[in-house]
Amino acid sequence: MYRSQFISSRGNEYFCDIDEDYLTDRFNLTGLNADVQYYQHALDLVTDVFDVECEDEMRDHIEKSARHLYGLVHARFITTTRGLAKMLDKYKKGEFGKCPRVNCGTQHLLPTGMSDVPGTQFVKLFCPKCEDIYNPKSSRHASIDGAYFGTSFANILFQVYPALVPEKTTARYEPKVFGFKMHAAAALQRWQDNKREEMIERLKAQGIDNPFAMDDDGDDEGDLSSGHEPMDIAGADDL
Amino acid sequence: MSSFTESDPLDTVTWINSFCSLLGHEYFAEVSEEFIEDDFNLTGLQSQVPMYKDALEMILDVEPDSDMDPEPDEEDMDDDEEDVMRDEEGYRIDAHGFRLPRGRSISDQSIIESSAELLYGLIHQRFITSRPGIQQMAEKYEAQHFGHCPRVFCNSTKVLPVGIYDTPGIDTVKLFCSSCMDVYTPPNSRFQSVDGAFFGTTFGCLFFMTFPDFQITPQGDPLNLASTHPIYSNTPYVVLREPATVTRRDSRSSSLTSASAPTVPSVPQIPAEWIPPSNQPTTINGTSTGNLAPGLGPGRIHEPKIYGFRVSERAKTGPRMKWLRMRPVDITELDEVGRLGNDRDEDMGDQDATTIKTGKNGTKTATAGQRKKAAAKSRRNLPAADGANGTGQTAS
Ligand SMILES: [Zn+2]
Ligand SMILES: [Zn+2]
């Protein structure tokens, strides 16, 4: 079985198993023949009807094409109801890893593309808590084409399952020197805090609740490490 | 150390060498014996470390028993402890292969060993904020011993090991990225047993204050395709701030130097509203402008899209965290001299003045004017804003 072999091989952990009836419905493959070399052979291989006798070199080409085809169909499949459910299952199990950002706790990640055009960007990992994207830890994953996951999938998933959007946090790292906040960093963070407050006001005007947990107040000082009074110190020139 | 090497060339591995070469200890600097031998540097540590004196002797490879037998002694040989390890000459050794002093039990020895590690860590926290220590860490940083920021838009910026706490036993070592000013969990689990306090809260920040000339953003990383886009590589503003370079590259396009568009063909243009005005200072609030969170700001904020359309903030599942990765296009917005006080109310009533995505092209001057007005207004408000919100500005 091509599909089960594909998803269980090392480095392919981010992919889900595309439903057979999705893969065999020609409608779902519209336009892909232009993107995939040896399209028909590749499709035969992916759908386990491959019976062409050919040389090893040719077979290598077809296998590469089959992988590409699987990836392109995968990007479409994971935005369908069935595909979303399969990826959601993997997300819940943490199969895409956890956000490396300390203040995100151990928030699970989702694979995402930065482009839908194949061959332009490698796959990245989206954290729904900090809403930023990260490089996969393993080079096996970092070299997968991002177009096999696409730019829309992660956002569609949360649109379909809005209850799964994690609670946002204003907690963050405050650079300090000998217990004092670094002036330049603190000034930037205050500016960012203002941007956040502006957003909360805009949301309020739209009838949307404050997305941040009530107990983590952005103005809360010194919650980490030091008991010093929160004071800024100037930059390098003062040391 | 050098005399030690000369007198005994066969046995040059010190306790410190072996500690730093253990798996998971790659982030540690080798604290100089000179630093440890200066009592001033150890002030206050005695009360934090059990069996302090023995631990210190172990770190410095001082033999605790001066008249140790030259031969393995009989008493030791018929030791009834079961898991005694011996070296080829029959001396009892510890887990690291070091000979046990005569008469010291294995359990004492293991307490001293863990004390030595704790003591070394606490000294290390101080050492790396000293001149020789921070220098050694700079070499490790340059050699990329600490790895890179996992954030895509930081474009493989080198990171530094830091602690969230200065007290040992609370949390493990983290990695600080100065490009996004955030901290991350090391990618390899072997660092999850290294105490963050051994690096401390001060080092990361002090490092960049000590070496203000280090260019934080790296050259394009071939693995990261984003680096081929001009706005993701180096600092996008270099070309724009130094029109002379552009002129030199293409003398015919000198008329372009006053315009905002970069002259490099076939690359996406930087939107006009991302280009800072020409009055950008070289330092802001004591930090070099180019090194203040260069991984943040327009073009470096993830933009969620569905089928090519941006997900609106007004959507139920729309973006809520963009502020975390924002940086003003015009860095003078952060200049707090003359902007003291609580100008939050001001900003709320005058949103458009500070929102990045204000207009398309013609609004540039208008927003600048509004901003000036806002600044003037907040200055007038100064007596009312007493800093009671606890943000504690330095009076200057
Ligand atoms: Zn996150
Ligand atoms: Zn970063």
Side-chain angles (χ1 to χ4, degrees):
Chain A
M1 287 292 285
Y2 180 86
R3 289 177 299 130
S4 54
Q5 205 187 324
F6 180 86
I7 59 159
S8 60
S9 57
R10 209 168 137 84
N12 287 349
E13 291 85 354
Y14 291 174
F15 291 92
C16 73
D17 184 14
I18 305 174
D19 283 352
E20 188 170 4
D21 41 345
Y22 187 87
L23 203 51
T24 50
D25 183 345
R26 290 290 169 130
F27 174 78
N28 296 323
L29 313 178
T30 311
L32 295 183
N33 54 342
D35 269 329
V36 181
Q37 270 193 307
Y38 315 110
Y39 174 78
Q40 193 53 52
H41 291 322
L43 184 60
D44 288 348
L45 185 60
V46 171
T47 52
D48 300 306
V49 295
F50 189 72
D51 55 358
V52 184
E53 285 292 311
C54 61
E55 286 168 22
D56 286 356
E57 200 187 331
M58 185 61 180
R59 190 161 176 104
D60 280 354
H61 283 307
I62 293 172
E63 270 169 10
K64 272 198 193 110
S65 282
R67 179 187 170 79
H68 190 48
L69 178 63
Y70 190 93
L72 295 175
V73 180
H74 187 263
R76 296 180 178 188
F77 175 67
I78 59 174
T79 62
T80 66
T81 310
R82 280 287 299 151
L84 281 172
K86 282 193 170 180
M87 291 299 265
L88 181 62
D89 192 46
K90 290 168 76 71
Y91 165 72
K92 283 182 169 169
K93 289 181 187 155
E95 289 181 23
F96 310 115
K98 290 168 186 162
C99 184
R101 184 170 175 263
V102 172
N103 280 307
C104 286
T106 52
Q107 174 62 48
H108 291 178
L109 299 164
L110 280 170
T112 188
M114 291 177 76
S115 166
D116 292 306
V117 180
T120 48
Q121 293 278 4
F122 296 119
V123 71
K124 308 295 176 196
L125 296 166
F126 172 71
C127 170
K129 199 171 177 82
C130 63
E131 299 172 5
D132 211 338
I133 48 173
Y134 299 95
N135 293 308
K137 278 200 257 188
S138 149
S139 56
R140 291 197 307 274
H141 296 140
S143 56
I144 297 172
D145 196 325
Y148 299 164
F149 299 87
T151 58
S152 305
F153 155 68
N155 305 308
I156 291 174
L157 185 109
F158 288 107
Q159 222 169 43
V160 174
Y161 302 99
L164 290 178
V165 174
E167 189 154 75
K168 312 287 172 169
T169 174
T170 59
R172 58 156 132 196
Y173 178 70
E174 292 174 337
K176 284 180 187 158
V177 176
F178 301 114
F180 298 103
K181 286 204 248 174
M182 195 191 65
H183 184 72
L188 175 60
Q189 294 193 340
R190 271 194 292 275
W191 180 89
Q192 292 171 331
D193 288 347
N194 278 341
K195 293 289 161 196
R196 185 183 65 235
E197 294 305 319
E198 287 170 22
M199 179 195 68
I200 292 171
E201 287 301 311
R202 285 196 303 274
L203 293 174
K204 203 190 275 175
Q206 297 286 332
I208 302 170
D209 289 342
N210 185 338
F212 302 100
M214 293 312 277
D215 56 343
D216 67 34
D217 181 352
D219 292 331
D220 187 21
E221 305 289 357
D223 46 344
L224 296 176
S225 67
S226 82
H228 291 278
E229 278 299 294
M231 274 182 61
D232 294 350
I233 63 162
D237 39 6
D238 280 28
L239 277 181
Chain B
M1 193 121 90
S2 56
S3 60
F4 185 86
T5 313
E6 282 155 28
S7 63
D8 194 356
L10 291 175
D11 187 17
T12 54
V13 180
T14 64
W15 185 92
I16 294 173
N17 293 151
S18 93
F19 177 83
C20 292
S21 59
L22 287 175
L23 201 67
H25 288 192
E26 292 85 346
Y27 296 161
F28 283 96
E30 293 200 2
V31 181
S32 66
E33 288 182 18
E34 219 182 325
F35 187 86
I36 301 173
E37 280 159 358
D38 183 343
D39 284 343
F40 175 78
N41 294 324
L42 310 181
T43 312
L45 296 183
Q46 192 152 4
S47 59
Q48 293 189 56
V49 180
M51 302 185 83
Y52 172 83
K53 191 172 165 287
D54 297 288
L56 186 59
E57 283 177 347
M58 178 175 279
I59 290 174
L60 292 171
D61 302 295
V62 177
E63 298 294 350
D65 189 3
S66 52
D67 47 31
M68 194 173 152
D69 281 343
E71 298 295 324
D73 63 23
E74 296 305 312
E75 207 181 304
D76 276 356
M77 286 299 251
D78 48 47
D79 205 312
D80 50 2
E81 281 173 281
E82 279 145 35
D83 44 358
V84 180
M85 290 190 292
R86 294 180 186 275
D87 62 13
E88 60 273 20
E89 289 166 52
Y91 285 101
R92 297 186 312 155
I93 54 170
D94 66 17
H96 301 295
F98 287 94
R99 286 181 185 175
L100 286 176
R102 195 183 158 194
R104 183 183 281 171
S105 73
I106 296 274
S107 68
D108 271 359
Q109 187 69 10
S110 73
I111 292 171
I112 295 167
E113 267 164 29
S114 59
S115 281
E117 296 192 3
L118 173 63
L119 179 59
Y120 185 80
L122 294 173
I123 297 171
H124 185 265
Q125 182 200 96
R126 297 177 178 192
F127 177 67
I128 59 175
T129 60
S130 74
R131 189 180 292 276
I134 210 162
Q135 189 59 48
Q136 206 184 117
M137 291 300 264
E139 284 158 27
K140 288 171 77 71
Y141 170 83
E142 295 272 38
Q144 316 196 11
H145 286 192
F146 310 124
H148 302 100
C149 182
R151 189 174 166 263
V152 171
F153 293 109
C154 284
N155 200 13
S156 301
T157 298
K158 285 179 285 210
V159 290
L160 286 175
V162 297
I164 305 284
Y165 302 92
D166 287 316
T167 313
I170 302 178
D171 205 350
T172 56
V173 66
K174 310 293 178 206
L175 297 170
F176 170 64
C177 171
S178 55
S179 187
C180 58
M181 291 203 310
D182 214 335
V183 283
Y184 299 95
T185 305
N188 196 307
S189 60
R190 68 169 177 265
F191 297 110
Q192 272 150 35
S193 58
V194 178
D195 199 315
F198 295 172
F199 297 86
T201 61
T202 295
F203 164 68
C205 210
L206 186 67
F207 184 89
F208 291 104
M209 292 163 86
T210 309
F211 304 107
D213 298 332
F214 269 5
Q215 207 204 333
I216 288 173
T217 27
Q219 296 297 314
D221 174 357
L223 266 183
N224 182 350
L225 294 171
S227 65
T228 55
H229 190 295
I231 65 162
Y232 300 142
S233 60
N234 303 326
T235 102
Y237 307 133
V238 165
V239 176
L240 304 162
R241 250 197 243 126
E242 295 166 14
T245 354
V246 180
T247 319
R248 230 178 294 129
R249 209 181 297 155
D250 184 358
S251 53
R252 286 163 305 166
S253 68
S254 57
S255 63
L256 279 171
T257 55
S258 58
S260 47
T263 54
V264 193
S266 83
V267 289
Q269 291 206 344
I270 298 168
E273 64 266 29
W274 294 1
I275 297 164
S278 54
N279 63 344
Q280 299 298 291
T282 51
T283 63
I284 184 81
N285 299 324
T287 294
S288 137
T289 306
N291 272 351
L292 178 66
L296 304 183
R300 297 186 172 91
I301 302 171
H302 176 61
E303 187 76 66
K305 286 180 185 168
I306 293 182
Y307 300 126
F309 296 99
R310 285 181 187 180
V311 181
S312 162
E313 181 180 274
R314 279 162 301 182
K316 193 164 182 251
T317 59
R320 301 285 181 265
M321 295 297 290
K322 286 187 171 184
W323 55 273
L324 182 67
R325 305 309 195 191
M326 282 182 180
R327 180 185 190 269
V329 171
D330 181 356
I331 206 73
T332 60
E333 282 182 42
L334 299 182
D335 185 4
E336 296 197 323
V337 182
R339 287 177 51 101
L340 284 178
N342 189 353
D343 54 2
R344 180 168 293 182
D345 296 337
E346 201 62 51
D347 286 348
M348 277 181 190
D350 200 8
Q351 277 176 20
D352 288 342
T354 39
T355 305
I356 294 167
K357 290 183 210 83
T358 306
K360 278 277 175 275
N361 22 34
T363 53
K364 195 83 206 158
T365 41
T367 47
Q370 278 172 342
R371 208 179 291 127
K372 227 173 279 167
K373 234 194 301 164
K377 264 191 277 171
S378 68
R379 229 171 290 144
R380 255 182 281 123
N381 284 349
L382 199 59
D386 54 6
N389 63 353
T391 42
Q393 325 257 0
T394 32
S396 55

